[in-house]
Amino acid sequence: MAKIVILGAGISGHVAATHLRRKLPKKHEVVVVSPNSNYQWIPSNIWVGIGRMKSKKILFPLAPLYKKKGINYKQAKAVTFYPEGDKKEQKPYIVSEYVTGEKKGQQEKVTYDYLINATGPKLNFEATEGLIPGKNKTYSVCTYTHANHAWEGLSALIESMKKGKKAKILIGTGHAKSTCQGAAFEYILNVEKELKRHKVRDMAEITWISNEYSLGDFGMDGMLMSYGDMIMKSSELVEMIFEDRGIKWILGAGVNKIEDGIAYYENLEGEHKVETYDFAMLIPAFSGHGFKAYDKNNQDITNKLFKGFMIVDADYTPKPYEEWTVQDWPETYQNPNYKNIFAPGIAFAPPHTISKPRKSKNGTDIFPAPPRTGMPSGITSKLVADNIIDAIKKGDNSLQHKGSMGNMGAACIASAGFGFWSGSGVSITTFPIVPDFVKYPDSHGRHLGKTFGSIGLAGHWLKLMLHHAFLWKAKMRPFWWLIPE
């Protein structure tokens, strides 16, 4: 009998748990350790943040589903890692701490045969002074509770605009090395659309602020794409969208401090500037969770497991941008020092960014961290689960299931306005996620036939369909496994 412990129950952790449970006989134990009581379909947070969808529509409680399906569940957070066990416990284990109920605060050793670290990122708001969701007129849509607060702030502003108050809205990234520009891009388009619906668009100045060097970078170094019969840059596509909607933009901006209605930032020219606002939604920096690891003699071995995020089979050799290759990126997400530990999704340490690193004239790093959104998180998590299943059922430790972001595509449907007939979406499909300049030297590292964009109502319908399909899948309803990651 094998015991697989999964840390986290977001997209990555939940995908691993569901596939392991479906494919492994019941004699093998699947355990999920997560501080969250609910599963949430994060992409729909955008609609919660504009008041067009209640948060209860994008989440469900984990405990009843896991009980029904035979997945053990502990509402607890991981604290420390002991991949060799210790003098009393021969098996590897993690120390977890319960976060609710009668056991709140109690710590427990959770042993394992295989460990999947799917904890995702820490939302590192404290990396930017004053950037606190719901305070200083700044908000977030990173979780459903954040999105609820964002809608409360935005709806209050809309009411004040209806009474004649002019307003400034600032949306984008809240740190010099933030990622997830796509979520902010979706939100700014939806906010703009909602202001029109409430007939107050003319009362608001809307500004995009980002650490990107050019519009449409999205942490992927931008892209050359097919758009109808044309070939265009993602920067041109986004510029067209913003100009059409009267959205201003500030680029190469590293936000470093927030006060009530004031964002302080440094730009690539080394200038220190401020931008005032009445409502802001700024994505924070992401970081690892700061876990510690110890060997069986209780010696600190954190650097064998973590490099901020968890170390996997990537090439972490420092190299200049010009020498980066797709082969730097991991394929199996296995820790090289402890072969029974894996880190798919956002939990793995990337070898480097995808966007070209840039410094301001003062030496401040200002560029996006690499995004690792829902689709690659689901794909990498499933392949990790399949490799563990092969090892348990067949004794095959060869890790035949592989997938690198350098040979993997991603489809991103960015909502640009809610409404079954009046909605819109920006659909962008990219292949590969990490550009391969050897295979595709003439198209900025990407396959043009598989990298394309479009705008329109069909994009909204597709995003709405994905919302329902992936919640069906997450709830493990009939034939859920037929829906691809």
Side-chain angles (χ1 to χ4, degrees), residues 11 39 52 123 157 170 175 205 217 231 235 246-247 251 277 280 283 286 290 293 302-303 332 335 394 418 483 485:
I11 290 175
Y39 175 90
R52 300 301 297 271
L123 300 174
L157 187 67
L170 186 67
H175 188 270
E205 178 183 302
D217 182 284
I231 303 296
S235 57
I247 297 172
L251 297 173
Y277 60 84
I283 299 290
F286 289 0
T302 301
N303 60 2
T332 65
N335 179 265
K394 305 174 186 174
F418 191 91
I483 299 171
E485 306 307 330

PDB file of all heavy atoms in Angstrom, residues 11 39 52 123 157 170 175 205 217 231 235 246-247 251 277 280 283 286 290 293 302-303 332 335 394 418 483 485:
ATOM      1  N   ILE A  11      -6.029  24.402  -8.269  1.00  0.00           N
ATOM      2  CA  ILE A  11      -6.159  23.689  -9.539  1.00  0.00           C
ATOM      3  C   ILE A  11      -5.163  22.529  -9.593  1.00  0.00           C
ATOM      4  O   ILE A  11      -5.526  21.386  -9.895  1.00  0.00           O
ATOM      5  CB  ILE A  11      -5.946  24.662 -10.713  1.00  0.00           C
ATOM      6  CG1 ILE A  11      -7.138  25.632 -10.804  1.00  0.00           C
ATOM      7  CG2 ILE A  11      -5.780  23.896 -12.033  1.00  0.00           C
ATOM      8  CD1 ILE A  11      -6.992  26.706 -11.848  1.00  0.00           C
ATOM      9  N   TYR A  39     -12.782  24.650  -2.692  1.00  0.00           N
ATOM     10  CA  TYR A  39     -12.142  24.719  -3.999  1.00  0.00           C
ATOM     11  C   TYR A  39     -12.715  25.935  -4.707  1.00  0.00           C
ATOM     12  O   TYR A  39     -13.920  26.185  -4.646  1.00  0.00           O
ATOM     13  CB  TYR A  39     -12.446  23.463  -4.821  1.00  0.00           C
ATOM     14  CG  TYR A  39     -11.907  23.541  -6.240  1.00  0.00           C
ATOM     15  CD1 TYR A  39     -10.629  23.091  -6.539  1.00  0.00           C
ATOM     16  CD2 TYR A  39     -12.692  24.071  -7.274  1.00  0.00           C
ATOM     17  CE1 TYR A  39     -10.129  23.172  -7.836  1.00  0.00           C
ATOM     18  CE2 TYR A  39     -12.199  24.154  -8.566  1.00  0.00           C
ATOM     19  CZ  TYR A  39     -10.921  23.709  -8.838  1.00  0.00           C
ATOM     20  OH  TYR A  39     -10.438  23.806 -10.117  1.00  0.00           O
ATOM     21  N   ARG A  52     -20.858  40.592 -11.201  1.00  0.00           N
ATOM     22  CA  ARG A  52     -21.725  39.879 -12.150  1.00  0.00           C
ATOM     23  C   ARG A  52     -21.852  38.398 -11.823  1.00  0.00           C
ATOM     24  O   ARG A  52     -22.549  37.671 -12.522  1.00  0.00           O
ATOM     25  CB  ARG A  52     -21.207  40.062 -13.579  1.00  0.00           C
ATOM     26  CG  ARG A  52     -21.156  41.511 -14.041  1.00  0.00           C
ATOM     27  CD  ARG A  52     -22.539  42.199 -14.004  1.00  0.00           C
ATOM     28  NE  ARG A  52     -23.501  41.603 -14.907  1.00  0.00           N
ATOM     29  CZ  ARG A  52     -23.665  41.966 -16.184  1.00  0.00           C
ATOM     30  NH1 ARG A  52     -22.924  42.916 -16.686  1.00  0.00           N
ATOM     31  NH2 ARG A  52     -24.581  41.382 -16.934  1.00  0.00           N
ATOM     32  N   LEU A 123       0.852  34.878  -1.898  1.00  0.00           N
ATOM     33  CA  LEU A 123       0.512  36.206  -2.427  1.00  0.00           C
ATOM     34  C   LEU A 123       1.256  37.217  -1.569  1.00  0.00           C
ATOM     35  O   LEU A 123       0.829  37.553  -0.461  1.00  0.00           O
ATOM     36  CB  LEU A 123      -1.005  36.428  -2.376  1.00  0.00           C
ATOM     37  CG  LEU A 123      -1.841  35.410  -3.182  1.00  0.00           C
ATOM     38  CD1 LEU A 123      -3.323  35.645  -2.949  1.00  0.00           C
ATOM     39  CD2 LEU A 123      -1.507  35.472  -4.660  1.00  0.00           C
ATOM     40  N   LEU A 157     -17.805  53.122  -5.599  1.00  0.00           N
ATOM     41  CA  LEU A 157     -17.284  54.176  -6.479  1.00  0.00           C
ATOM     42  C   LEU A 157     -18.276  54.486  -7.604  1.00  0.00           C
ATOM     43  O   LEU A 157     -18.479  55.657  -7.963  1.00  0.00           O
ATOM     44  CB  LEU A 157     -15.945  53.725  -7.071  1.00  0.00           C
ATOM     45  CG  LEU A 157     -15.198  54.779  -7.888  1.00  0.00           C
ATOM     46  CD1 LEU A 157     -14.732  55.931  -6.989  1.00  0.00           C
ATOM     47  CD2 LEU A 157     -14.006  54.159  -8.613  1.00  0.00           C
ATOM     48  N   LEU A 170      -7.063  52.696 -11.333  1.00  0.00           N
ATOM     49  CA  LEU A 170      -5.727  52.213 -11.676  1.00  0.00           C
ATOM     50  C   LEU A 170      -5.710  50.692 -11.541  1.00  0.00           C
ATOM     51  O   LEU A 170      -6.018  50.160 -10.464  1.00  0.00           O
ATOM     52  CB  LEU A 170      -4.701  52.836 -10.725  1.00  0.00           C
ATOM     53  CG  LEU A 170      -3.220  52.580 -11.004  1.00  0.00           C
ATOM     54  CD1 LEU A 170      -2.792  53.257 -12.302  1.00  0.00           C
ATOM     55  CD2 LEU A 170      -2.370  53.086  -9.831  1.00  0.00           C
ATOM     56  N   HIS A 175       3.917  45.454  -8.114  1.00  0.00           N
ATOM     57  CA  HIS A 175       5.301  45.202  -7.713  1.00  0.00           C
ATOM     58  C   HIS A 175       6.154  45.144  -8.973  1.00  0.00           C
ATOM     59  O   HIS A 175       5.654  44.783 -10.056  1.00  0.00           O
ATOM     60  CB  HIS A 175       5.408  43.883  -6.939  1.00  0.00           C
ATOM     61  CG  HIS A 175       6.750  43.634  -6.334  1.00  0.00           C
ATOM     62  ND1 HIS A 175       7.762  42.973  -7.002  1.00  0.00           N
ATOM     63  CD2 HIS A 175       7.252  43.971  -5.123  1.00  0.00           C
ATOM     64  CE1 HIS A 175       8.828  42.907  -6.229  1.00  0.00           C
ATOM     65  NE2 HIS A 175       8.550  43.508  -5.080  1.00  0.00           N
ATOM     66  N   GLU A 205     -11.457  58.089 -15.393  1.00  0.00           N
ATOM     67  CA  GLU A 205     -10.202  57.943 -16.135  1.00  0.00           C
ATOM     68  C   GLU A 205      -9.610  56.593 -15.731  1.00  0.00           C
ATOM     69  O   GLU A 205      -9.391  56.341 -14.549  1.00  0.00           O
ATOM     70  CB  GLU A 205      -9.244  59.077 -15.769  1.00  0.00           C
ATOM     71  CG  GLU A 205      -7.886  58.986 -16.446  1.00  0.00           C
ATOM     72  CD  GLU A 205      -6.953  60.098 -15.988  1.00  0.00           C
ATOM     73  OE1 GLU A 205      -7.322  61.284 -16.156  1.00  0.00           O
ATOM     74  OE2 GLU A 205      -5.883  59.772 -15.440  1.00  0.00           O
ATOM     75  N   ASP A 217       2.986  41.895 -23.137  1.00  0.00           N
ATOM     76  CA  ASP A 217       4.099  41.014 -22.782  1.00  0.00           C
ATOM     77  C   ASP A 217       3.572  39.800 -22.004  1.00  0.00           C
ATOM     78  O   ASP A 217       3.953  38.663 -22.271  1.00  0.00           O
ATOM     79  CB  ASP A 217       5.125  41.780 -21.934  1.00  0.00           C
ATOM     80  CG  ASP A 217       6.328  40.933 -21.582  1.00  0.00           C
ATOM     81  OD1 ASP A 217       6.201  40.057 -20.690  1.00  0.00           O
ATOM     82  OD2 ASP A 217       7.386  41.124 -22.194  1.00  0.00           O
ATOM     83  N   ILE A 231      -0.768  39.092 -39.490  1.00  0.00           N
ATOM     84  CA  ILE A 231       0.211  38.708 -38.475  1.00  0.00           C
ATOM     85  C   ILE A 231       0.501  39.976 -37.685  1.00  0.00           C
ATOM     86  O   ILE A 231       0.837  41.015 -38.265  1.00  0.00           O
ATOM     87  CB  ILE A 231       1.512  38.189 -39.101  1.00  0.00           C
ATOM     88  CG1 ILE A 231       1.231  36.995 -40.033  1.00  0.00           C
ATOM     89  CG2 ILE A 231       2.498  37.800 -38.013  1.00  0.00           C
ATOM     90  CD1 ILE A 231       0.668  35.784 -39.345  1.00  0.00           C
ATOM     91  N   SER A 235       1.604  43.266 -28.620  1.00  0.00           N
ATOM     92  CA  SER A 235       1.597  44.660 -28.181  1.00  0.00           C
ATOM     93  C   SER A 235       0.626  45.480 -29.037  1.00  0.00           C
ATOM     94  O   SER A 235      -0.093  46.342 -28.531  1.00  0.00           O
ATOM     95  CB  SER A 235       3.001  45.254 -28.267  1.00  0.00           C
ATOM     96  OG  SER A 235       3.511  45.154 -29.573  1.00  0.00           O
ATOM     97  N   GLY A 246     -10.432  53.658 -24.660  1.00  0.00           N
ATOM     98  CA  GLY A 246     -10.007  54.885 -23.965  1.00  0.00           C
ATOM     99  C   GLY A 246      -9.244  54.621 -22.678  1.00  0.00           C
ATOM    100  O   GLY A 246      -9.338  55.384 -21.711  1.00  0.00           O
ATOM    101  N   ILE A 247      -8.472  53.541 -22.670  1.00  0.00           N
ATOM    102  CA  ILE A 247      -7.675  53.196 -21.478  1.00  0.00           C
ATOM    103  C   ILE A 247      -6.244  53.696 -21.675  1.00  0.00           C
ATOM    104  O   ILE A 247      -5.609  53.388 -22.692  1.00  0.00           O
ATOM    105  CB  ILE A 247      -7.685  51.668 -21.246  1.00  0.00           C
ATOM    106  CG1 ILE A 247      -9.119  51.192 -20.956  1.00  0.00           C
ATOM    107  CG2 ILE A 247      -6.739  51.284 -20.109  1.00  0.00           C
ATOM    108  CD1 ILE A 247      -9.266  49.677 -20.903  1.00  0.00           C
ATOM    109  N   LEU A 251       3.953  51.942 -18.583  1.00  0.00           N
ATOM    110  CA  LEU A 251       4.707  50.688 -18.706  1.00  0.00           C
ATOM    111  C   LEU A 251       6.078  50.806 -18.037  1.00  0.00           C
ATOM    112  O   LEU A 251       6.564  51.912 -17.760  1.00  0.00           O
ATOM    113  CB  LEU A 251       4.883  50.333 -20.183  1.00  0.00           C
ATOM    114  CG  LEU A 251       3.588  50.066 -20.951  1.00  0.00           C
ATOM    115  CD1 LEU A 251       3.871  49.889 -22.433  1.00  0.00           C
ATOM    116  CD2 LEU A 251       2.872  48.840 -20.396  1.00  0.00           C
ATOM    117  N   TYR A 277      -5.281  57.736  -7.421  1.00  0.00           N
ATOM    118  CA  TYR A 277      -6.433  56.923  -7.862  1.00  0.00           C
ATOM    119  C   TYR A 277      -7.517  56.952  -6.792  1.00  0.00           C
ATOM    120  O   TYR A 277      -7.261  57.273  -5.615  1.00  0.00           O
ATOM    121  CB  TYR A 277      -5.995  55.473  -8.131  1.00  0.00           C
ATOM    122  CG  TYR A 277      -5.413  54.797  -6.904  1.00  0.00           C
ATOM    123  CD1 TYR A 277      -6.245  54.193  -5.958  1.00  0.00           C
ATOM    124  CD2 TYR A 277      -4.046  54.805  -6.667  1.00  0.00           C
ATOM    125  CE1 TYR A 277      -5.720  53.609  -4.818  1.00  0.00           C
ATOM    126  CE2 TYR A 277      -3.513  54.220  -5.532  1.00  0.00           C
ATOM    127  CZ  TYR A 277      -4.353  53.617  -4.611  1.00  0.00           C
ATOM    128  OH  TYR A 277      -3.835  53.047  -3.480  1.00  0.00           O
ATOM    129  N   ALA A 280      -8.068  51.036  -7.005  1.00  0.00           N
ATOM    130  CA  ALA A 280      -6.967  50.346  -7.688  1.00  0.00           C
ATOM    131  C   ALA A 280      -7.077  48.840  -7.453  1.00  0.00           C
ATOM    132  O   ALA A 280      -7.467  48.394  -6.376  1.00  0.00           O
ATOM    133  CB  ALA A 280      -5.616  50.846  -7.178  1.00  0.00           C
ATOM    134  N   ILE A 283      -2.009  43.586  -8.825  1.00  0.00           N
ATOM    135  CA  ILE A 283      -1.585  42.211  -8.549  1.00  0.00           C
ATOM    136  C   ILE A 283      -0.281  42.243  -7.746  1.00  0.00           C
ATOM    137  O   ILE A 283       0.675  42.928  -8.124  1.00  0.00           O
ATOM    138  CB  ILE A 283      -1.366  41.446  -9.869  1.00  0.00           C
ATOM    139  CG1 ILE A 283      -2.662  41.380 -10.690  1.00  0.00           C
ATOM    140  CG2 ILE A 283      -0.822  40.045  -9.603  1.00  0.00           C
ATOM    141  CD1 ILE A 283      -3.740  40.502 -10.131  1.00  0.00           C
ATOM    142  N   PHE A 286       4.439  37.301  -6.387  1.00  0.00           N
ATOM    143  CA  PHE A 286       4.288  35.930  -5.905  1.00  0.00           C
ATOM    144  C   PHE A 286       5.635  35.488  -5.332  1.00  0.00           C
ATOM    145  O   PHE A 286       6.698  35.887  -5.829  1.00  0.00           O
ATOM    146  CB  PHE A 286       3.920  34.976  -7.046  1.00  0.00           C
ATOM    147  CG  PHE A 286       2.516  35.137  -7.583  1.00  0.00           C
ATOM    148  CD1 PHE A 286       1.640  36.077  -7.064  1.00  0.00           C
ATOM    149  CD2 PHE A 286       2.070  34.336  -8.631  1.00  0.00           C
ATOM    150  CE1 PHE A 286       0.362  36.232  -7.564  1.00  0.00           C
ATOM    151  CE2 PHE A 286       0.782  34.472  -9.141  1.00  0.00           C
ATOM    152  CZ  PHE A 286      -0.067  35.424  -8.603  1.00  0.00           C
ATOM    153  N   GLY A 290       8.268  29.997   2.069  1.00  0.00           N
ATOM    154  CA  GLY A 290       9.263  30.080   3.140  1.00  0.00           C
ATOM    155  C   GLY A 290       9.374  28.821   3.970  1.00  0.00           C
ATOM    156  O   GLY A 290       9.755  28.873   5.150  1.00  0.00           O
ATOM    157  N   ALA A 293      13.304  22.794   5.591  1.00  0.00           N
ATOM    158  CA  ALA A 293      13.435  21.338   5.475  1.00  0.00           C
ATOM    159  C   ALA A 293      14.622  20.875   6.308  1.00  0.00           C
ATOM    160  O   ALA A 293      15.631  21.578   6.425  1.00  0.00           O
ATOM    161  CB  ALA A 293      13.627  20.943   4.012  1.00  0.00           C
ATOM    162  N   THR A 302      17.189  22.969   3.706  1.00  0.00           N
ATOM    163  CA  THR A 302      16.192  23.714   2.919  1.00  0.00           C
ATOM    164  C   THR A 302      16.666  23.937   1.486  1.00  0.00           C
ATOM    165  O   THR A 302      15.873  23.848   0.539  1.00  0.00           O
ATOM    166  CB  THR A 302      15.916  25.071   3.607  1.00  0.00           C
ATOM    167  OG1 THR A 302      15.448  24.818   4.937  1.00  0.00           O
ATOM    168  CG2 THR A 302      14.872  25.869   2.850  1.00  0.00           C
ATOM    169  N   ASN A 303      17.981  24.176   1.312  1.00  0.00           N
ATOM    170  CA  ASN A 303      18.472  24.469  -0.042  1.00  0.00           C
ATOM    171  C   ASN A 303      18.497  23.249  -0.955  1.00  0.00           C
ATOM    172  O   ASN A 303      18.787  23.373  -2.142  1.00  0.00           O
ATOM    173  CB  ASN A 303      19.869  25.118   0.011  1.00  0.00           C
ATOM    174  CG  ASN A 303      20.889  24.222   0.671  1.00  0.00           C
ATOM    175  OD1 ASN A 303      20.576  23.095   1.071  1.00  0.00           O
ATOM    176  ND2 ASN A 303      22.113  24.708   0.812  1.00  0.00           N
ATOM    177  N   THR A 332       9.535  16.852 -15.674  1.00  0.00           N
ATOM    178  CA  THR A 332       8.872  15.874 -14.795  1.00  0.00           C
ATOM    179  C   THR A 332       8.486  16.467 -13.440  1.00  0.00           C
ATOM    180  O   THR A 332       7.738  15.859 -12.711  1.00  0.00           O
ATOM    181  CB  THR A 332       9.781  14.656 -14.541  1.00  0.00           C
ATOM    182  OG1 THR A 332      10.935  15.085 -13.807  1.00  0.00           O
ATOM    183  CG2 THR A 332      10.230  14.015 -15.845  1.00  0.00           C
ATOM    184  N   ASN A 335      11.848  16.528  -7.691  1.00  0.00           N
ATOM    185  CA  ASN A 335      12.996  17.095  -6.993  1.00  0.00           C
ATOM    186  C   ASN A 335      14.210  16.189  -7.233  1.00  0.00           C
ATOM    187  O   ASN A 335      14.113  14.969  -7.061  1.00  0.00           O
ATOM    188  CB  ASN A 335      12.695  17.202  -5.494  1.00  0.00           C
ATOM    189  CG  ASN A 335      13.882  17.773  -4.727  1.00  0.00           C
ATOM    190  OD1 ASN A 335      14.694  17.037  -4.185  1.00  0.00           O
ATOM    191  ND2 ASN A 335      13.988  19.096  -4.704  1.00  0.00           N
ATOM    192  N   LYS A 394       3.042  -0.358 -11.560  1.00  0.00           N
ATOM    193  CA  LYS A 394       3.901  -1.156 -12.444  1.00  0.00           C
ATOM    194  C   LYS A 394       5.341  -1.242 -11.953  1.00  0.00           C
ATOM    195  O   LYS A 394       6.158  -1.938 -12.573  1.00  0.00           O
ATOM    196  CB  LYS A 394       3.908  -0.538 -13.856  1.00  0.00           C
ATOM    197  CG  LYS A 394       2.538  -0.348 -14.482  1.00  0.00           C
ATOM    198  CD  LYS A 394       2.681   0.395 -15.813  1.00  0.00           C
ATOM    199  CE  LYS A 394       1.331   0.751 -16.414  1.00  0.00           C
ATOM    200  NZ  LYS A 394       1.473   1.595 -17.634  1.00  0.00           N
ATOM    201  N   PHE A 418     -18.952  41.004 -19.392  1.00  0.00           N
ATOM    202  CA  PHE A 418     -19.882  39.936 -19.072  1.00  0.00           C
ATOM    203  C   PHE A 418     -21.225  40.198 -19.768  1.00  0.00           C
ATOM    204  O   PHE A 418     -21.652  41.336 -19.902  1.00  0.00           O
ATOM    205  CB  PHE A 418     -20.078  39.863 -17.563  1.00  0.00           C
ATOM    206  CG  PHE A 418     -20.807  38.643 -17.094  1.00  0.00           C
ATOM    207  CD1 PHE A 418     -20.111  37.499 -16.752  1.00  0.00           C
ATOM    208  CD2 PHE A 418     -22.191  38.628 -17.004  1.00  0.00           C
ATOM    209  CE1 PHE A 418     -20.774  36.366 -16.308  1.00  0.00           C
ATOM    210  CE2 PHE A 418     -22.869  37.501 -16.562  1.00  0.00           C
ATOM    211  CZ  PHE A 418     -22.165  36.368 -16.211  1.00  0.00           C
ATOM    212  N   ILE A 483     -12.855  15.532 -19.694  1.00  0.00           N
ATOM    213  CA  ILE A 483     -12.576  16.946 -19.968  1.00  0.00           C
ATOM    214  C   ILE A 483     -11.072  17.160 -19.814  1.00  0.00           C
ATOM    215  O   ILE A 483     -10.510  16.888 -18.750  1.00  0.00           O
ATOM    216  CB  ILE A 483     -13.349  17.855 -18.998  1.00  0.00           C
ATOM    217  CG1 ILE A 483     -14.858  17.635 -19.165  1.00  0.00           C
ATOM    218  CG2 ILE A 483     -13.000  19.328 -19.226  1.00  0.00           C
ATOM    219  CD1 ILE A 483     -15.707  18.327 -18.106  1.00  0.00           C
ATOM    220  N   GLU A 485      -7.273  18.873 -19.412  1.00  0.00           N
ATOM    221  CA  GLU A 485      -6.790  19.896 -18.477  1.00  0.00           C
ATOM    222  C   GLU A 485      -6.695  21.242 -19.180  1.00  0.00           C
ATOM    223  O   GLU A 485      -6.477  21.329 -20.356  1.00  0.00           O
ATOM    224  CB  GLU A 485      -5.417  19.499 -17.923  1.00  0.00           C
ATOM    225  CG  GLU A 485      -5.373  18.115 -17.290  1.00  0.00           C
ATOM    226  CD  GLU A 485      -6.429  17.893 -16.231  1.00  0.00           C
ATOM    227  OE1 GLU A 485      -6.814  18.865 -15.566  1.00  0.00           O
ATOM    228  OE2 GLU A 485      -6.877  16.754 -16.079  1.00  0.00           O
TER     229      GLU A 485
END
